Amino acid sequence: MRYRITGIIYLMAAITLFAGEPIINTLTVEQETARFTRSEDWKSMIQTGQKALKKGIDFYNLRYRLGIAYYQLENYHAAIRHFTRAYRINSADPLLKEYLYWAYRYAGREGDARILAAGFSQELKRKAGVPDRFPGEYLSVSLNAGFPVDKSFTDDYVNDTGLAINGSQFLSKTLGYADVGLYKIFSPRLSVYGSYARLRKTSYLYAQENGVAVTKPDYVTNLNQIYLSGTYHVAQGTDLTFGAHFINLVYLRDRYVFEGLQGRIVTDEITDNDRLSFVSVFHSFPYVTTGMTALFSNLNQNNQIQGDWQLTVYPLGNLNLYGGFILSYVHQDPDENMVITDLLMGGKLLSWLWVEGMYATGDLHHASRHQGYIVYNGMDVITRRIGGRWIFPVSDDLTIRLNYTYQNHESSFRPDNTSLPETNPIHYKSHSITGALQWNF
């Protein structure tokens, strides 16, 4: 009898719980999500939709309304996920196409947006506000000035290396450059970027050859640089980028000429060329973009192979906050290996101001950053970089950027005979300031 009563109690409790639990099926989910959408209760819409998906309930209107809810909350990564699922069920809905296009745009996935818009009718393009030409093309102009923190750091230069060892030591003093770049979109899948930069660098140079020492406090190197890259949108969320960087260096070199028992120094103008090529693949996941880059170069007459792994996280599902890193491995023949780490965090601080902070550490000598766009081919070594960027979107057509970087340098006397160790290490610091204008057209 006791067991029968216990069973009845458990049965009544189960019936009570079941009665209190709302029935969830396709009809009730359709009714509830429609009601939340009409009232613009986006958080309740998402809660109901997620519960339905966990129970295996999945249909077009549910995905479509979840996409709208996340879109209205500016979580474009989640919106894309649900809009894409809805698009697989019904790709003919023009309003869905419009939402998905702008979700791609606001998430920074321009290639996906262009591919989607290429299939729009003229009426839908007009209704959705899709430009007649591909948006995002621009012309940019950058100016840079780099200079040491302590301008007198070379005044007390001393080198105790014996004059019998031929070699040289460079300490960077100033760097200035002007850069002009153009980004052009040729088709929904293919875009190209090209730039030309003119650099002028001054260094403190100490060199010794055949028992003669020479000091040049303002040794000048001029560089002409051409950078070309193309990006092909392979598939949804996936881009393949390839390109090259050509560097022409012009500098003066002294050589000692013997004339009988006497000798004299002759200065020659030397022209040299460095080259770099690369290929990258990037893929966008919800909240995360990751990619890998392989680079091949011959900077300063040495062969380098570099591999980069990059990861960027968007915790809010939009471009208002992001952070990530680049981890690089650099091998230079014959047996020099380096690891470089870049950390980046940025986001929207005000409606008219975006801010980024970065920190990089590692031996940047003979390395490159940003898919080979920035090349470190100087004779000294940059071991650490700390900086920030301020971005001012003045209008839809004009953006102003201001960059500042604080850098740690290390310079050593390098013997011409590479089997000998480097000597006379000197540590110093520098500032780097860059201003840029970007015109969108």
Side-chain angles (χ1 to χ4, degrees), residues 312-380:
T312 306
V313 180
Y314 305 90
L316 302 180
N318 55 42
L319 299 178
N320 292 343
L321 179 65
Y322 49 89
F325 65 86
I326 303 174
L327 181 63
S328 301
Y329 172 80
V330 184
H331 170 78
Q332 177 173 279
D333 290 341
D335 57 359
E336 187 176 352
N337 300 293
M338 299 163 285
V339 175
I340 304 167
T341 303
D342 279 47
L343 303 177
L344 172 70
M345 179 170 287
K348 184 178 182 181
L349 191 61
L350 301 169
S351 61
W352 49 269
L353 176 62
W354 296 68
V355 177
E356 294 180 349
M358 59 82 60
Y359 175 82
T361 184
D363 188 341
L364 286 169
H365 188 54
H366 290 159
S368 62
R369 315 311 289 151
H370 306 297
Q371 297 178 307
Y373 183 68
I374 299 176
V375 176
Y376 294 93
N377 60 339
M379 300 305 296
D380 59 346

Side-chain angles (χ1 to χ4, degrees), residues 144-205:
N144 170 270
F147 49 93
V149 173
D150 179 8
K151 295 183 179 181
S152 62
F153 75 106
T154 60
D155 293 348
D156 300 324
Y157 177 84
V158 176
N159 193 309
D160 296 328
T161 307
L163 290 176
I165 300 177
N166 295 340
S168 59
Q169 183 167 7
F170 290 81
L171 292 91
S172 296
K173 295 181 69 175
T174 64
L175 173 67
Y177 71 76
D179 180 288
V180 178
L182 177 64
Y183 178 70
K184 177 69 177 176
I185 303 171
F186 287 96
S187 73
R189 292 192 181 274
L190 179 63
S191 59
V192 174
Y193 177 78
S195 69
Y196 167 77
R198 172 74 175 183
L199 290 82
R200 186 177 188 273
K201 181 176 181 178
T202 63
S203 305
Y204 182 95
L205 168 62

